[in-house]
Amino acid sequence: MPILNLVKKLLKPEEAPKPAAAHPGPRIYPRSQHSISRRQISPNALKVLYRLHKAGFRACLVGGCVRDLLLGREPKDFDVATDAHPEQIRKLFRNCRLIGRRFRLAHVRFGREIIEVATFRAAAPEGAGDWVREEETGRVLRDNVYGTIEEDAWRRDFTVNALYYDIADFSVVDYVGGMEDLKAGVLRLIGEPEVRYREDPVRMLRAVRFMTKLGFVLDESCRLLLPRLAHLLEDIPPARLYEEVLKLFLSGCAVQTFEALRRYGLFGHLFPLTERALARQPDGFPLTLVAKALENTDRRVAEDAPVTPYFLYAALLWEPVRLEALRRQAEGATSAVAVQEAASEVLSAQVRHVAIPKRVALPMREVWTLQPRFERRQGGRPLRLLSHPRFRAAYDFLLLRSEAGEIEPELAEWWTRFQQAGESERRKMIQGPARGRRRRRRSRRRAKPRETSES
Ligand code: ATP
Ligand code: MG
């Protein structure tokens, strides 16, 4: 074929790739066909929506809040998407701050509530750059690429997260079939699952989070890819994973989340040392300890009580620390030194996967290094330990170890009694019987060495 013909053939219009606009138009669900009422929407979010609308811009609620409202759940926060550009948004609100150096978002503040207002954006050429906050990576990934509402919908992760509630007529706008998935309880990535996971492997963690939190079934093709692509988490900056892991474990269903993460082979790429240690004894107390810590977390989340990330991390990483400390003790280190050194070693290996900020790492270390001190119950030591600023958390951790069956319950019971005891009883506890028993034991040991088997 002459070259010219070949070129002509290649350029034939019907063979050119279809433009992105080839997607079918949106399905619009008018107010009468969905359950979102303005009474459920934060008054501040409504103020923002109305003011944008009055100024002639398109203004919608989007993402998690629309999904949660449709499911009858209380949204954590309300995000707004609009065709107004950041500078235009700023001019409309006095209480507004632009954040981000290049991909700028507006934060409109009302007392303690912040309404995040984002301009519609098209997908970045490199895919996921726009979901990564600059402060998490320390680098700027790309410039803003503003887009249409439709482009904004297609770059989102799951169909149920890409619904828009339009303040112009109170309808729900659906480009991706999210409404049907929502009704069916299906979590489905928008587009080609493997492409979307590869663009941003954190979507695998988000899949697990939404699946357990919403009680949805993850679409099969999205589910089957998880074990195969789990290793991609190794390329995610540890600082970003820290945030995601916290969201996973503070979602209120940490136990199920943890099980799902292990089932799909994701956990080992977040906490490799823990996964290895747990795999050594699949039904033993190490797993019980983690499970109990997560149960406590879920209970606290349900009661709206504060949850301390350092306690959670202390539990998640305790088994590798404990094993490493035992190894060092076998080589002659004292228990205190062994735990100190094991903590450093485990931490420095762990932060290569999931970062642990100093404000978390310091108290976590203290919880660990105080553990051997609970074993010393004579003289002035117990009182000194009691007045340690981290005593309460360390004692809770001791209880956890005891409940999980790692240590004799007697030790934890002694500390419970010691805290409740009056001055004179405390004096007895740290002197009389404990010392006496010790002396007697020693003298017996000297007399009949073979009979002493306690340790
Ligand atoms: P939650 O209730 O837990 O906050 P959410 O759906 O609001 O859930 P966010 O992390 O707050 O989750 O994100 C808001 C929205 O931004 C999501 O609903 C989704 O549309 C989009 N999004 C967030 N992260 C990603 C990502 N990594 N890839 C694609 N879209 C994302
Ligand atoms: Mg959200």
Side-chain angles (χ1 to χ4, degrees):
M1 195 192 307
I3 295 270
L4 194 63
N5 279 355
L6 183 66
V7 171
K8 268 194 201 147
K9 191 173 160 52
L10 283 174
L11 288 178
K12 255 168 62 186
E14 63 268 26
E15 284 178 15
K18 294 217 167 71
H23 295 304
R27 281 200 60 178
I28 312 270
Y29 295 84
R31 173 65 190 92
S32 57
Q33 284 176 32
H34 67 73
S35 61
I36 300 179
S37 134
R38 271 167 290 163
R39 276 197 308 272
Q40 300 163 286
I41 301 172
S42 133
N44 295 325
L46 283 174
K47 269 184 224 160
V48 171
L49 290 166
Y50 282 133
R51 188 166 306 173
L52 284 164
H53 178 64
K54 277 207 192 108
F57 296 109
R58 184 115 194 235
C60 304
L61 288 179
V62 65
C65 62
V66 179
R67 176 198 69 213
D68 289 347
L69 287 172
L70 287 167
L71 291 171
R73 305 168 68 105
E74 197 188 327
K76 235 174 34 196
D77 37 39
F78 290 85
D79 294 334
V80 170
T82 177
D83 56 3
H85 285 195
E87 288 301 336
Q88 296 172 311
I89 302 168
R90 178 159 55 190
K91 284 201 188 110
L92 285 176
F93 301 97
R94 257 189 311 125
N95 45 341
C96 173
R97 210 163 61 90
L98 298 189
I99 60 158
R101 271 169 299 168
R102 298 243 190 123
F103 26 96
R104 311 185 95 190
L105 292 173
H107 275 182
V108 186
R109 181 183 280 278
F110 300 87
R112 293 183 58 194
E113 188 179 16
I114 291 177
I115 307 294
E116 192 168 286
V117 186
T119 308
F120 295 138
R121 281 211 294 256
E126 68 271 38
D130 43 352
W131 300 112
V132 185
R133 288 187 184 273
E134 286 163 23
E135 62 269 29
E136 284 166 19
T137 58
R139 66 204 155 102
V140 173
L141 286 152
R142 61 174 197 88
D143 287 319
N144 256 329
V145 182
Y146 297 125
T148 61
I149 181 172
E150 172 162 12
E151 287 168 319
D152 193 79
W154 286 98
R155 81 194 167 110
R156 293 179 182 271
D157 50 3
F158 298 97
T159 60
V160 296
N161 284 350
L163 296 168
Y164 296 77
Y165 171 82
D166 193 338
I167 201 67
D169 57 2
F170 316 121
S171 64
V172 170
V173 182
D174 179 7
Y175 286 92
V176 296
M179 203 64 152
E180 276 166 14
D181 284 340
L182 194 99
K183 283 184 194 139
V186 173
L187 190 63
R188 188 195 315 274
L189 278 167
I190 297 170
E192 189 56 50
E194 178 155 358
V195 173
R196 302 309 309 282
Y197 281 144
R198 285 188 183 276
E199 261 175 16
D200 183 10
V202 165
R203 289 175 187 148
M204 295 189 278
L205 301 179
R206 294 175 60 84
V208 168
R209 177 152 73 87
F210 294 128
M211 196 168 57
T212 52
K213 175 173 138 166
L214 307 174
F216 275 29
V217 174
L218 182 60
D219 166 67
E220 196 183 16
S221 59
C222 302
R223 199 177 62 234
L224 294 177
L225 283 167
L226 291 177
R228 187 154 72 73
L229 300 181
H231 66 96
L232 296 174
L233 289 175
E234 308 275 346
D235 302 331
I236 304 295
R240 186 168 177 220
L241 287 183
Y242 173 75
E243 297 296 330
E244 288 300 328
V245 165
L246 266 197
K247 283 192 207 161
L248 280 166
F249 288 124
L250 301 184
S251 65
C253 29
V255 177
Q256 280 168 282
T257 300
F258 169 69
E259 283 163 3
L261 287 174
R262 291 194 76 207
R263 187 161 62 245
Y264 298 121
L266 296 162
F267 187 76
H269 295 286
L270 299 172
F271 295 92
L273 290 95
T274 308
E275 179 58 39
R276 234 174 290 146
L278 294 181
R280 273 171 50 151
Q281 23 182 341
D283 302 314
F285 64 81
L287 187 64
T288 314
L289 185 135
V290 172
K292 282 190 178 293
L294 297 176
E295 268 168 38
N296 290 345
T297 307
D298 285 347
R299 200 171 325 119
R300 293 185 68 89
V301 171
E303 291 164 359
D304 254 338
V307 178
T308 37
Y310 73 81
F311 196 84
L312 199 65
Y313 271 82
L316 281 168
L317 293 168
W318 173 240
E319 186 56 12
V321 171
R322 194 186 68 88
L323 291 177
E324 183 56 29
L326 282 179
R327 202 182 62 75
R328 284 166 191 268
Q329 266 179 283
E331 285 173 358
T334 64
S335 56
V337 169
V339 171
Q340 298 255 6
E341 292 179 351
S344 302
E345 187 166 323
V346 167
L347 264 176
S348 68
Q350 175 60 37
V351 296
R352 276 185 259 132
H353 300 270
V354 179
I356 305 181
K358 274 215 176 67
R359 62 174 190 281
V360 174
L362 291 176
M364 178 178 73
R365 276 186 82 102
E366 276 181 319
V367 164
W368 289 336
T369 53
L370 288 178
Q371 296 306 308
R373 288 177 56 182
F374 284 109
E375 277 148 39
R376 310 179 147 196
R377 286 181 268 172
Q378 280 87 46
R381 284 186 173 128
L383 271 180
R384 278 203 296 279
L385 184 51
L386 206 56
S387 63
H388 191 286
R390 202 62 68 192
F391 172 82
R392 183 69 217 189
Y395 162 74
D396 285 343
F397 200 74
L398 183 80
L399 289 183
L400 191 64
R401 294 170 65 207
S402 160
E403 282 169 31
E406 182 205 320
I407 52 169
E408 290 300 323
E410 188 270 334
L411 184 63
E413 281 158 17
W414 190 94
W415 278 97
T416 308
R417 260 191 298 126
F418 187 68
Q419 289 174 77
Q420 292 158 353
E423 205 180 318
S424 69
E425 197 190 337
R426 277 187 181 171
R427 217 173 299 134
K428 266 189 242 148
M429 286 177 79
I430 57 178
Q431 290 172 354
R435 275 202 176 153
R437 239 197 340 261
R438 227 173 133 197
R439 247 183 250 129
R440 268 202 305 282
R441 249 190 250 147
R442 269 205 206 118
S443 53
R444 259 209 310 270
R445 202 176 294 155
R446 249 177 262 133
K448 294 191 208 162
R450 247 176 280 145
E451 267 179 34
T452 57
S453 59
E454 56 205 302
S455 61

